[in-house]
Amino acid sequence: MAADSSISSSSAPPPLVALAGWLVPGAGYWLIGQRVRAMTVGVTILAVFVLGILISGIRVVQAPDMTAPGNVAQRILTRPWFIGQVLIGPVGLGSAYVSDQLAHSARYRNIEAKARLAEIGTLYTAVAGMLNLLTLIDAAYRAARK
Amino acid sequence: MFMPISILHPPSLASPTLAYVPFVYPLPIWDYWPWLIVPLCLGVAIVYKSVKCQHMTMVPKEAIQIFVWILVGMMAAAGALAGVVKLVVEK
């Protein structure tokens, strides 16, 4: 399969490849012509993220409260797993938005996974984001090596 | 009159009883949580080998191999930790 070889068929700049990989998991590989690799990692990463939300519920993705006291680093470190979750791109940001909406709704604000299920869902979503970081670095490296 | 459909209050959830809603409520798998390690390990194995392998034709075989190794390693670690708990903590 020529599209899967290490030789890229496109000359996209590495920063653009990395950005595309963050926006849509696997899109970085797609830009450099490695379409099977793009589909494989994209579908797998999104499946892991969605499975994490299915296990724990959408409230497992929670953005830090930026109105809380302290500096920016302290606010972010109140929810450190969001750093991993946001690496999956707009899907993670959208999930955090929906989660925030549910947290402010009268009907669903108390619906939140606890204990093991919360930990497992957090692990799934954060690992999905970190796997996406791995793939976008690799895609950018392959684009630069051309 | 236009009525926007809210994701927070979909029409099907109008009843007062709270039915299970996928992606909102946690999955009711309290007794089976150790099995959740399997799909996570499979996902990690596929993505890792997709990054490492030069050609995608090698990925299925290599991913299955590393998937099995991760599970064996996790089971060994779990067994060792359970042994420590039995011998040290519960003694």
Side-chain angles (χ1 to χ4, degrees), chain B residues 38-61:
Chain B
V38 176
L40 182 63
C41 290
L42 186 63
V44 169
I46 291 170
V47 174
Y48 178 69
K49 282 299 173 183
S50 296
V51 169
K52 288 286 283 184
C53 290
Q54 199 74 357
H55 297 278
M56 286 301 287
T57 49
M58 299 157 64
V59 169
K61 185 184 166 194

Side-chain angles (χ1 to χ4, degrees), chain B:
Chain B
M1 195 173 104
F2 174 72
M3 293 288 287
I5 296 172
S6 168
I7 57 166
L8 303 181
H9 301 286
S12 60
L13 298 174
S15 66
T17 54
L18 292 175
Y20 170 72
V21 183
F23 300 103
V24 174
Y25 289 76
L27 207 60
I29 45 168
W30 325 111
D31 298 331
Y32 309 104
W33 64 267
W35 292 102
L36 293 174
I37 196 170
V38 176
L40 182 63
C41 290
L42 186 63
V44 169
I46 291 170
V47 174
Y48 178 69
K49 282 299 173 183
S50 296
V51 169
K52 288 286 283 184
C53 290
Q54 199 74 357
H55 297 278
M56 286 301 287
T57 49
M58 299 157 64
V59 169
K61 185 184 166 194
E62 299 254 344
I64 288 171
Q65 280 179 352
I66 197 171
F67 167 65
V68 171
W69 275 114
I70 293 171
L71 285 184
V72 169
M74 288 287 185
M75 283 190 285
L81 289 172
V84 169
V85 170
K86 288 277 182 198
L87 289 174
V88 179
V89 180
E90 292 182 1
K91 204 168 184 180

